[in-house]
Amino acid sequence: MSMNTQGRQTAPEVVTVSEHKTISGNKGLAQAEKLIFEIGTPRRTGVDLPALKGVKSRLGGRLGGMERTEEIGLPGLSEPETMRHYVRLSQKNYAIDLGVYPLGSCTMKHNPRLNEKMARLPGFADVHPLQPRGTVQGALAVMGELSDWLLKLTGMPAVALSPKAGAHGELCGMMAIRAALDAKGADHKRRVLVPESAHGTNPATAVQCGFTIDAIPATDCGRVDMDALKTKLGDDKENSDVAGIMLTNPNTCGLFESDIIEIAELIHGAGGYFYCDGANFTALVGRVRPGDLGIDAMHLNLHKTFSTPHGGGGPGSGPTVLSEALAPFAPVPYVEKHNGKWKLVEDVNGTDSFGRMTAFHGQMGMFVRALSYMLSHGADGLKQATEDAVLNANYVQARLSEDMSPAFGGICMHEALFNDDFLKGTGVETLDFAKAMIDEGYHPMTMYFPLVVHGAMLIEPTESESKAELDRFIDMMKGLAKRAKAGEVDFFKAAPIYAPMRRLDETKAARNPVLRWRKQPSP
Ligand SMILES: *Cc1c(COP(=O)(O)O)cnc(C)c1O
């Protein structure tokens, strides 16, 4: 064993263990954990209350016959048992705070702790959405200032803050487009063009809004096929049934759509609107303003571009910016300043607003975090974050291209896309490669997306990673690629060996999910 001068082991010894099962089910200090219902019993409780005296709730009495007649069935645990249960569960999460999280398209960047501190200030954390306006001027000012930043960064005239995720922002933008078409009586315009590389939420959103989808193929360079687009638009622009396009830029192949201005002109020429999926805005902030590209609506994922946490599926936040043409149809509420006082506009009477998307204002905690991120970076810092994110992705792409196969030539934006050509003939597939990454202690990259690339591996390092961290990741990936090419197919098919769960039946889990615990009948 080699040691450094501090007596710490430097190079881990490579040990090969045949599969070894522990008696406890624990692995090292990682503990197996059952469901809370399986460890709890209704006879145990973490609190000690005196028995109720003199309260008789007869059937049909004060609860109007709604009294519980059976045990409530909650799991009973003592305080230390409860604590251990949740701490053990929390340790099963892989997180951006633990290591590189290279999921492409998802932009998993560091969430600065300053943002958390700001969001926890009682003046933000403890306000209630129904509080009188006079008592929440600060919170409304945060919404106003965040709106200003988003409008400046995008070069757009209006923003709806209330959508609660990227997909919800898409719904907001497409509902505004639908309302604008309806206002013109253009009910023949129901076809939405969507590139084949689009995120699944794009076509799903358009269909929700009553549109049909027409897919545009990609060229060999991974961008919109302009000839195909022109054919889809047809010659009779006057009577075109095209409602608009939903395009991602940079697209999900990590490439800038270089014909974007011409695309906007063509769509507008046919009387349609341009929805841009802004999930990849992290590659543009401070460098490109979507408003200059002819975009009519675009959502921003605060939980991607502006570092607010993704959480366990939420809460996200998907503010949507709108062009002059769509602004009148924006949803309520939004904030306005009159005579030095902030006010929340909620009334739709006498306006063209399509209505309301959420009960209240949106994700206040995310607004505070995103604004804190913007203010602490400043305009120059945001621009540098963008440039670093693009530089990091290109560094990964350049070094990995020696052993893996990039899907397209040339420089990428904020994410590097590979196909599975380098695995041809090895018997190893993208999925096996990803499982081997887990054994190496890395969360796999995005796999099999975008669909236009065979066996896709989409890697987004973001600006959070240092060169040293990137090099460790790259060396690991190159090592795996070499093992695959050296014919070690059994090694890959067995992976992951070190994970608490090995290969799961992912198809069955997706098709037949078991989402609810049911009490086993007692023996
Ligand atoms: C993440 C993402 C979305 C959806 O955003 P959510 O916040 O997950 O709803 C849409 N499009 C693209 C390209 C994305 O990466």
Side-chain angles (χ1 to χ4, degrees):
M1 196 201 311
S2 51
M3 305 254 196
N4 69 9
T5 52
Q6 315 291 312
R8 208 174 290 137
Q9 188 181 335
T10 49
E13 279 164 56
V14 178
V15 275
T16 17
V17 268
S18 56
E19 200 172 332
H20 164 70
K21 281 203 169 65
T22 57
I23 300 158
S24 58
N26 301 335
K27 289 189 175 180
L29 296 180
Q31 290 166 330
E33 187 64 2
K34 292 183 174 173
L35 297 178
I36 196 167
F37 289 97
E38 294 169 319
I39 52 177
T41 141
R43 275 170 291 286
R44 209 177 308 138
T45 168
V47 289
D48 188 8
L49 297 173
L52 287 181
K53 260 188 251 144
V55 179
K56 273 204 209 87
S57 180
R58 282 152 297 139
L59 235 48
R62 287 161 75 180
L63 291 177
M66 300 298 286
E67 291 83 354
R68 179 179 299 285
T69 52
E70 294 164 25
E71 259 182 11
I72 191 166
L74 293 177
L77 280 86
S78 68
E79 183 170 319
E81 285 171 327
T82 310
M83 184 66 80
R84 283 187 181 159
H85 176 70
Y86 285 107
V87 172
R88 284 174 186 169
L89 288 189
S90 76
Q91 291 180 335
K92 296 197 189 310
N93 282 335
Y94 188 83
I96 187 73
D97 291 351
L98 281 172
V100 178
Y101 212 130
L103 275 189
S105 214
C106 293
T107 308
M108 308 296 285
K109 59 170 78 176
H110 173 62
N111 313 137
R113 287 307 175 268
L114 176 69
N115 304 350
E116 297 303 317
K117 209 169 163 180
M118 293 303 116
R120 281 167 178 70
L121 290 176
F124 294 129
D126 298 344
V127 289
H128 191 280
L130 293 178
Q131 240 168 277
R133 195 191 301 155
T135 66
V136 289
Q137 284 293 304
L140 296 180
V142 164
M143 293 173 68
E145 207 166 317
L146 176 66
S147 299
D148 280 351
W149 273 85
L150 294 176
L151 297 179
K152 275 211 188 74
L153 289 172
T154 56
M156 301 284 272
V159 62
L161 289 186
S162 62
K164 295 191 176 184
H168 205 202
E170 288 174 36
L171 187 65
C172 174
M174 293 309 283
M175 283 174 80
I177 289 175
R178 176 70 198 255
L181 291 171
D182 288 353
K184 283 196 262 192
D187 49 11
H188 61 292
K189 291 182 111 40
R190 288 292 176 264
R191 187 158 54 103
V192 171
L193 307 178
V194 183
E196 278 172 357
S197 60
H199 195 267
T201 49
N202 292 187
T205 301
V207 168
Q208 279 289 322
C209 294
F211 297 112
T212 56
I213 302 304
D214 196 358
I216 324 170
T219 60
D220 291 343
C221 321
R223 294 178 174 86
V224 168
D225 182 332
M226 292 300 282
D227 290 335
L229 173 69
K230 285 174 194 160
T231 310
K232 301 256 179 216
L233 284 171
D235 295 327
D236 186 4
K237 301 281 188 307
E238 287 291 299
N239 299 306
S240 166
D241 65 342
V242 170
I245 191 171
M246 293 185 86
L247 181 78
T248 313
N249 196 28
N251 66 26
T252 59
C253 299
L255 302 171
F256 194 87
E257 289 286 357
S258 31
D259 292 319
I260 189 159
I261 290 184
E262 193 188 345
I263 294 172
E265 286 167 0
L266 287 169
I267 295 293
H268 289 151
Y273 294 95
F274 184 175
Y275 187 90
C276 183
D277 180 327
N280 293 336
F281 192 46
T282 197
L284 305 182
V285 179
R287 293 292 304 236
V288 176
R289 300 190 316 160
D292 298 335
L293 304 176
I295 288 161
D296 290 300
M298 180 171 108
H299 77 264
L300 303 158
N301 303 60
L302 298 188
H303 50 289
K304 293 179 180 172
T305 307
F306 298 106
S307 88
T308 73
H310 290 231
S317 184
T320 303
V321 290
L322 299 167
S323 65
E324 212 76 68
L326 293 183
F329 306 97
V332 290
Y334 56 90
V335 288
E336 255 180 15
K337 201 173 186 181
H338 280 300
N339 305 327
K341 285 245 180 283
W342 286 100
K343 123 171 201 236
L344 199 63
V345 180
E346 299 193 89
D347 191 4
V348 296
N349 283 326
T351 73
D352 288 325
S353 165
F354 71 70
R356 180 181 261 291
M357 300 195 76
T358 61
F360 298 115
H361 316 44
Q363 306 285 28
M364 192 65 210
M366 296 301 135
F367 300 161
V368 177
R369 286 174 177 87
L371 183 60
S372 162
Y373 178 82
M374 292 167 175
L375 292 175
S376 53
H377 276 68
D380 58 335
L382 289 178
K383 182 163 173 249
Q384 193 190 331
T386 300
E387 291 166 354
D388 290 350
V390 173
L391 181 64
N392 279 358
N394 277 285
Y395 182 67
V396 168
Q397 177 172 278
R399 280 203 62 203
L400 284 185
S401 293
E402 296 157 10
D403 295 283
M404 294 168 61
S405 39
F408 302 103
I411 285 178
C412 62
M413 295 291 286
H414 61 302
E415 48 195 356
L417 179 59
F418 298 86
N419 61 27
D420 58 2
D421 279 356
F422 75 103
L423 295 174
K424 260 203 192 114
T426 62
V428 178
E429 292 169 39
T430 294
L431 181 74
D432 309 319
F433 196 90
K435 298 293 182 195
M437 288 171 71
I438 296 176
D439 278 338
E440 295 288 343
Y442 284 93
H443 192 289
M445 67 269 132
T446 292
M447 298 180 284
Y448 300 107
F449 178 81
L451 305 177
V452 289
V453 167
H454 198 268
M457 305 184 191
L458 184 58
I459 302 173
E460 180 175 359
T462 80
E463 72 279 9
S464 307
E465 305 303 337
S466 65
K467 178 163 180 299
E469 193 66 77
L470 287 180
D471 281 332
R472 272 195 291 277
F473 173 76
I474 292 166
D475 291 343
M476 177 277 301
M477 294 290 275
K478 287 165 87 78
L480 288 181
K482 290 199 171 89
R483 291 188 83 154
K485 287 182 202 166
E488 294 187 42
V489 59
D490 294 344
F491 163 83
F492 284 92
K493 293 291 174 192
I497 327 178
Y498 299 122
M501 295 288 161
R502 304 281 303 272
R503 295 246 180 161
L504 304 173
D505 186 341
E506 289 166 14
T507 312
K508 192 169 173 205
R511 294 277 178 269
N512 187 19
V514 181
L515 302 175
R516 201 182 142 196
W517 178 82
R518 282 177 201 283
K519 196 173 174 180
Q520 304 291 320
S522 23

